[in-house]
Amino acid sequence: MPQRILVTGGAGFIGCNLVRHLLERTDASVTALDKLTYAASPAALDGLPADRFRLVVGDVADAGVVDPLVAEHDAVVHLAAESHNDNALVDPAPFVHTNLIGTFTLLEAVRRYDVRLHHVSTDEVYGDLALEDPQRFTEDAPYRPSSPYSASKAGADHLVRAWVRSFGIRATVSVCSNNYGPWQHVEKLVPRQVTTILDGGRPRVYGTGSHVRDWIHVEDHNAAVLAVLERGTVGETYLIGADGERSNLDVVRTILRLMGRPEDDIDLVADRPGHDLRYAIDASRLRADLGWRPSYDGLEAGLRTTIAWYEANEAWWRPAKAATEAAYAARGQ
Ligand code: NAD
Ligand code: DAU
């Protein structure tokens, strides 16, 4: 197990949960590198032990910052990214900068200093499946990204695999489905709807609401990332998913029910342009090779704790809520 781990994007949703996970489950010291964009939650890193954790503010696409930092570590987990599809449809430029140039910059540093890399990717790189298709994504699925965000992530994955083959860097890739849990920005489906309901409003679902996502709690994602870092085979790709396929309407109705509101209190709003229909992950390799299992018993169990977290942490999400809703309103969503 690496003893000095650099987590890029360590102040983001998955990153801040991963930093805590690594500090709790391993003896490693952890550095978070984060540009602190609108999506970051530096508050999530408050109070962590100063002898084992530090936050470095910087751009993953800046070799002047990345190079010396990578040289000081045994492993890098790369999460830094622009992550929200709706934003990429308004302005894709930061997605190309961070997701492509940032990944390239990091790859050159791990090549130079021979540092182990784990690259965190998304099931969206495979494009979408038909609603009635019995198939799920496997490690062999062809790359067919359909949005500016997923295309930038797909490009980053290709760069990682090319650096493995051409330069022999020691890298693994994981491809995960939709995460939910504490510290997720209110722009994303689950926290947007939970906080809207807490404010007495009606959830807003795009199009018909029949689009399907495959949900996993962020803790289960991060446990899988740690398993790959500890026991994964260099050069391999692992798909991470918890068999949590649900339509968006189904997810939002469940949230409404758990929060004591009528399940049909929903507004159907303008659809996302190019909206991917369905994602679904087959995580058999991860289960068979690394023995990983999700700890949450289904989406409803995870949603209960997530709703309770947002109820208890209004001071954290409140400042972002109004601006996020104003941006959605401008798009009729
Ligand atoms: P997030 O948007 O919550 O966090 C991203 C973090 O990266 C933020 O803290 C931001 O400040 C930082 N960042 C952005 N640009 C940067 C730059 N140029 N330099 C340094 N830091 C920068 O995203 P997330 O949901 O935590 O996703 C993390 C990673 O996991 C991403 O690579 C994403 O593609 C991937 N992923 C996310 C999900 C999901 O459902 N959220 C699922 C699968 C994969
Ligand atoms: O699949 C993994 C991906 O999941 C990650 O790579 C992305 O970083 C992450 O943002 C997420 O992408 P999605 O676009 O699937 O997530 P989002 O939360 O934006 O939307 C989930 C679904 O809900 C999608 O079909 C759009 C829909 N939606 C979203 C919002 C915010 C609504 O119907 N209403 C909403 O208000």
Side-chain angles (χ1 to χ4, degrees):
M1 178 67 198
Q3 283 305 296
R4 299 169 303 170
I5 304 174
L6 176 64
V7 178
T8 74
F13 160 51
I14 300 173
C16 72
N17 282 289
L18 179 65
V19 165
R20 288 171 173 273
H21 192 87
L22 292 171
L23 291 173
E24 282 163 18
R25 309 295 168 101
T26 76
D27 297 329
S29 61
V30 179
T31 306
L33 168 64
D34 202 295
K35 193 178 174 182
L36 300 187
T37 69
Y38 79 96
S41 306
L45 305 171
D46 284 350
L48 297 178
D51 57 335
R52 287 183 62 206
F53 174 74
R54 81 185 152 124
L55 169 65
V56 174
V57 179
D59 188 337
V60 71
D62 180 349
V65 173
V66 168
D67 251 50
L69 208 50
V70 166
E72 291 170 15
H73 292 82
D74 308 316
V76 182
V77 183
H78 179 38
L79 295 117
E82 288 290 337
S83 71
H84 193 40
N85 272 299
D86 292 323
N87 293 343
L89 294 165
V90 175
D91 181 12
F95 289 74
V96 171
H97 171 81
T98 296
N99 303 2
L100 284 168
I101 306 297
T103 301
F104 162 73
T105 307
L106 193 59
L107 284 167
E108 285 294 82
V110 301
R111 169 158 89 107
R112 191 165 297 121
Y113 300 107
D114 186 25
V115 170
R116 167 88 164 85
L117 172 69
H118 179 67
H119 171 69
V120 174
S121 191
T122 168
D123 57 3
E124 300 197 12
V125 295
Y126 302 127
D128 59 354
L129 297 161
L131 291 181
E132 65 283 358
D133 191 338
Q135 287 200 325
R136 300 190 289 171
F137 299 132
T138 64
E139 284 78 5
D140 302 324
Y143 270 51
R144 289 196 184 114
S146 44
S147 70
Y149 162 67
S150 55
S152 68
K153 292 294 291 185
D157 296 7
H158 288 319
L159 291 178
V160 174
R161 295 199 184 96
W163 261 241
V164 170
R165 175 147 172 187
S166 304
F167 303 123
I169 68 161
R170 294 177 293 127
T172 42
V173 176
S174 60
V175 171
C176 191
S177 59
N178 283 62
N179 285 221
Y180 68 97
W183 305 107
Q184 187 170 33
H185 194 278
V186 291
E187 68 192 358
K188 302 284 170 38
L189 177 71
V190 168
R192 183 183 186 203
Q193 312 307 352
V194 169
T195 54
T196 292
I197 295 167
L198 287 174
D199 276 345
R202 288 165 65 90
R204 303 187 136 234
V205 173
Y206 300 169
T208 60
S210 57
H211 302 79
V212 170
R213 296 294 182 265
D214 189 351
W215 295 95
I216 183 170
H217 194 278
V218 66
E219 270 301 305
D220 285 332
H221 180 187
N222 284 334
V225 167
L226 178 55
V228 176
L229 194 61
E230 283 179 319
R231 309 189 295 284
T233 303
V234 164
E236 282 290 355
T237 294
Y238 296 88
L239 265 56
I240 306 173
D243 301 331
E245 272 189 76
R246 304 279 279 267
S247 74
N248 294 337
L249 266 184
D250 192 11
V251 170
V252 175
R253 283 186 181 133
T254 304
I255 293 171
L256 281 162
R257 177 166 48 77
L258 292 174
M259 296 182 74
R261 285 265 299 268
E263 288 191 15
D264 57 358
D265 257 7
I266 292 174
D267 289 334
L268 294 178
V269 297
D271 207 352
R272 173 184 284 172
H275 198 173
D276 279 348
L277 270 179
R278 172 178 163 245
Y279 309 136
I281 288 271
D282 178 347
S284 305
R285 174 183 288 175
L286 180 71
R287 288 173 181 256
D289 291 3
L290 302 184
W292 172 89
R293 300 280 181 279
S295 64
Y296 278 85
D297 186 16
L299 176 63
E300 192 162 320
L303 282 178
R304 278 183 204 280
T305 59
T306 302
I307 291 166
W309 190 88
Y310 280 88
E311 281 169 345
N313 287 278
E314 180 179 347
W316 173 76
W317 57 262
R318 175 60 65 197
K321 182 67 178 167
T324 303
E325 288 304 324
Y328 274 123
R331 300 196 292 267
Q333 294 178 319

